[in-house]
Amino acid sequence: MVDCYKVALFDLDGVVFNTEPQYTIFWSKVFQKYYPENPLLASKIKGSTLQQIFDLYFTGKEEQQKEITAELDKFERNMSFDYIPGFLDFVHDLQKNGIKTAVVTSSNKEKMQNVYDKHPEFKLLFNKILTSEDFAKSKPDPDCYLKGASYFKVEPKECIGFEDSFNGLKAVRAALMPVIGLATTNSEEAIRSYSDVILKDYQGLTMEKLCHKINRYQ
């Protein structure tokens, strides 16, 4: 049994599912329509909640917010949710070693229902699923990761956090947990300074191997 950490906390998009390329296409179209002069916004908002995006770029534009929300709801109902390679085997290894698991996502309950519809096994992979409705503050604030630790009644230092976006990586760091960065949304070079360990995916990964990687950093 591996017992170097008690809890593993996972973001969703870009960490459990390879969905970020799909969101990039969606938001590129949105910003091309409303902010054609700034083509980089689709990359800039990665890891932000919908409300954060509205607050930054669509304040007071209620009709545009309604239109975007409706388009996003339709998009998420039809998008594919493909696991990051090796993720299922890694989670099963965590379960075998008695390590608790939770999703810590900025996605809302409606989005998660789409996940459950397409992956009936999803809830069995985690002990807890925390969504945007559970948090008082959004990433990069550590609130969501601290709530994850609190749910399992453990100290933050007994948890590890898996993230891909800059806001998410900053949130794990602020929670004083080891930061496992997934180079799925951003390059390894871009997230290096925000991460303790960098993964391209989970293929061949076990908790024992990950603990060794973390220990080398420490």
Side-chain angles (χ1 to χ4, degrees):
M1 295 288 287
V2 178
D3 59 357
C4 54
Y5 295 97
K6 295 181 179 179
V7 176
L9 303 172
F10 296 88
D11 180 40
L12 187 72
D13 296 296
V15 173
V16 176
F17 293 122
N18 187 28
T19 48
E20 284 298 341
Q22 298 174 75
Y23 279 115
T24 297
I25 293 172
F26 174 83
W27 285 109
S28 293
K29 291 179 179 178
V30 169
F31 286 119
Q32 178 61 37
K33 180 177 181 178
Y34 295 110
Y35 287 90
E37 73 284 359
N38 196 338
L40 299 179
L41 288 180
S43 297
K44 189 175 180 179
I45 55 90
K46 288 181 183 295
S48 302
T49 65
L50 182 60
Q51 190 57 55
Q52 285 176 319
I53 296 170
F54 285 165
D55 289 344
L56 283 172
Y57 302 107
F58 299 95
T59 299
K61 302 176 181 179
E62 294 185 4
E63 289 304 315
Q64 291 182 7
Q65 290 186 21
K66 289 180 181 178
E67 181 178 338
I68 293 168
T69 299
E71 291 175 354
L72 181 60
D73 288 343
K74 180 180 178 181
F75 176 80
E76 290 180 335
R77 285 195 298 271
N78 294 287
M79 72 188 296
S80 60
F81 294 96
D82 298 322
Y83 288 108
I84 299 292
F87 177 78
L88 289 175
D89 287 340
F90 179 60
V91 169
H92 292 149
D93 182 72
L94 296 179
Q95 292 174 333
K96 182 180 70 176
N97 283 284
I99 296 167
K100 303 297 184 182
T101 58
V103 169
V104 180
T105 178
S106 300
S107 300
N108 58 27
K109 290 181 179 179
E110 184 174 359
K111 153 78 172 290
M112 293 310 300
Q113 189 57 54
N114 295 327
V115 172
Y116 306 147
D117 290 343
K118 294 183 179 181
H119 287 283
E121 80 288 350
F122 189 80
K123 291 183 179 180
L124 299 177
L125 302 176
F126 302 96
N127 300 101
K128 183 65 176 178
I129 297 173
L130 297 166
T131 63
S132 60
E133 292 87 353
D134 296 306
F135 311 131
K137 297 179 181 179
S138 300
K139 302 171 186 177
D141 190 277
D143 177 61
C144 55
Y145 280 97
L146 294 176
K147 279 189 168 63
S150 177
Y151 174 80
F152 292 106
K153 296 181 173 58
V154 298
E155 294 296 320
K157 64 182 180 181
E158 298 177 289
C159 305
I160 50 175
F162 295 75
E163 276 283 358
D164 63 312
S165 70
F166 294 117
N167 280 343
L169 294 164
K170 291 176 183 177
V172 180
R173 177 75 77 218
L176 302 180
M177 301 175 183
V179 186
I180 313 302
L182 272 292
T184 52
T185 301
N186 300 289
S187 68
E188 291 186 44
E189 182 179 358
I191 67 172
R192 191 173 306 282
S193 63
Y194 299 92
S195 308
D196 297 330
V197 174
I198 297 176
L199 306 174
K200 292 182 179 179
D201 55 37
Y202 302 93
Q203 294 187 93
L205 186 68
T206 64
M207 192 60 197
E208 183 176 7
K209 290 179 181 179
L210 183 58
C211 286
H212 287 317
K213 290 177 181 288
I214 297 171
N215 289 337
R216 283 204 302 269
Y217 165 79
Q218 295 175 333

